[in-house]
Amino acid sequence: MAAAHSKKKAALAYRRPGQPNTLVEVGSHVCFGGEKIVLIGGPCAVESQKQITDTAKAVAKAGAAMLRGGAWKPRTSPYDFQGLKEEGLVMLAEARKVTDLPIVTEVLDPRDVEKVSAVADMLQIGSRSVQNFPLLREVGASNKPVLLKRGMMTTIEEWLAAAEYILAAGNSQVVLCERGIRTFETALRNTLDVGAVAVLKHITHLPVIVDPSHAAGDFRYVAALARAAIAAGADGLLVESHWRPAEALSDACQSLTPEQFQEMTDQCRSVAAAIGRTL
Ligand code: PEP
Ligand code: MN
């Protein structure tokens, strides 16, 4: 009963009977929700012009369709690297100029939405912000596609209610991103909820992608989770890669080298082909 009530309240996020998949376009070349799986690659954080441009070139070579990189970083400790902020946005724009890859980057504060929208092609709402309702309303009022990560403690229903905030504010371009949830298991950073991909492809019309990097927390397991995500029906992957992972200022342990990123992509292409999709 409670579920039915909430479902009604998140009417825009749930799939109506017969409703086709929503396609979310980014720039003129990228489309989430179609037959082609969208690969997004790049570092956790923008650290320098050379780091972001060289990483962007490497992921583009491997087949990435978009570049990721945080300019504002939501760090657990206030003493950890918080991102280059405005300077990071300028570097992302330069990397886009060099590679032609559209950019997705996180916006943490409702007051920064305008500033980030002026540069980014897609706005990322991070796990920790999934229930920051003023922020959701603000990106809902923007005209940029939104990549909405699942919170580490949110149910699918709560996550779709968060998407509803954006949709109800007038922005229909929402892509959901499963990135692992907190469970009793501690062997990995989080537990990738592959089942959520299958459920979401059924109950919502919105594209669903997977971030295997923050789920694994360890570069050795990222490719396996990426392959599983494609097999489960994900419409895309968001994967952290760094030209020199050992030097990364955040999420070093889970960042793939350009070679590992290429290898993961090749494996995912085979899985995609097996289910009649391309990457
Ligand atoms: C990120 O993408 O670097 C990030 C901080 O992810 P999440 O919000 O999923 O933790
Ligand atoms: Mn990260």
Side-chain angles (χ1 to χ4, degrees):
M1 204 55 201
H5 180 69
S6 304
K7 189 169 164 172
K8 199 165 140 222
K9 295 244 155 149
L12 300 170
Y14 282 82
R15 195 193 288 280
R16 291 187 309 273
Q19 185 178 5
N21 290 334
T22 288
L23 302 178
V24 174
E25 291 180 8
V26 180
S28 50
H29 301 305
V30 178
C31 178
F32 291 87
E35 175 268 334
K36 192 166 166 54
I37 291 160
V38 178
L39 177 61
I40 307 169
C44 181
V46 181
E47 297 164 358
S48 70
Q49 189 64 68
K50 185 155 176 58
Q51 173 251 13
I52 189 67
T53 305
D54 284 9
T55 306
K57 284 182 188 164
V59 298
K61 189 162 161 261
M66 284 184 68
L67 174 66
R68 62 147 291 144
W72 277 264
K73 293 306 301 176
R75 304 306 300 278
T76 302
S77 165
Y79 307 118
D80 285 338
F81 176 59
Q82 302 287 310
L84 296 179
K85 308 189 169 79
E86 287 85 353
E87 212 188 332
L89 287 181
V90 174
M91 292 175 185
L92 280 167
E94 176 61 24
R96 172 177 53 201
K97 206 155 89 186
V98 173
T99 59
D100 217 21
L101 294 181
I103 297 160
V104 57
T105 195
E106 179 160 352
V107 57
L108 264 174
D109 188 316
R111 292 166 296 188
D112 291 335
V113 170
E114 209 176 310
K115 196 184 314 182
V116 178
S117 298
V119 173
D121 299 286
M122 186 178 211
L123 304 173
Q124 178 171 322
I125 299 295
S127 288
R128 293 155 192 81
S129 301
V130 69
Q131 291 185 315
N132 181 338
F133 302 117
L135 179 62
L136 297 175
R137 282 206 183 91
E138 202 62 36
V139 298
S142 85
N143 60 359
K144 293 287 172 183
V146 178
L147 193 158
L148 179 63
K149 289 217 177 180
R150 181 181 191 175
M152 56 193 87
M153 302 286 276
T154 46
T155 63
I156 290 173
E157 197 179 327
E158 289 162 345
W159 186 13
L160 286 176
E164 190 76 15
Y165 269 86
I166 304 169
L167 300 168
N171 188 342
S172 59
Q173 308 167 87
V174 177
V175 173
L176 302 167
C177 180
E178 160 64 35
R179 46 77 75 205
I181 51 175
R182 282 212 168 147
T183 67
F184 60 85
E185 181 54 71
T186 56
L188 295 177
R189 184 174 180 180
N190 290 287
T191 299
L192 181 67
D193 188 0
V194 180
V197 178
V199 170
L200 286 165
K201 290 304 297 175
H202 178 212
I203 66 172
T204 174
H205 54 94
L206 299 171
V208 182
I209 72 165
V210 166
D211 167 356
S213 303
H214 291 85
D218 182 325
F219 75 95
R220 294 171 298 178
Y221 308 123
V222 170
L225 300 190
R227 298 193 302 265
I230 303 298
D235 296 306
L237 293 171
L238 178 84
V239 180
E240 286 186 344
S241 176
H242 195 287
W243 68 322
R244 292 177 188 165
E247 293 173 18
L249 296 178
S250 60
D251 287 348
C253 300
Q254 68 196 37
S255 296
L256 302 186
T257 62
E259 295 73 26
Q260 289 161 345
F261 187 85
Q262 177 73 65
E263 198 183 341
M264 176 213 68
T265 307
D266 293 342
Q267 294 170 358
C268 287
R269 283 208 174 98
S270 305
V271 180
I275 56 165
R277 296 183 81 174
T278 54
L279 189 158

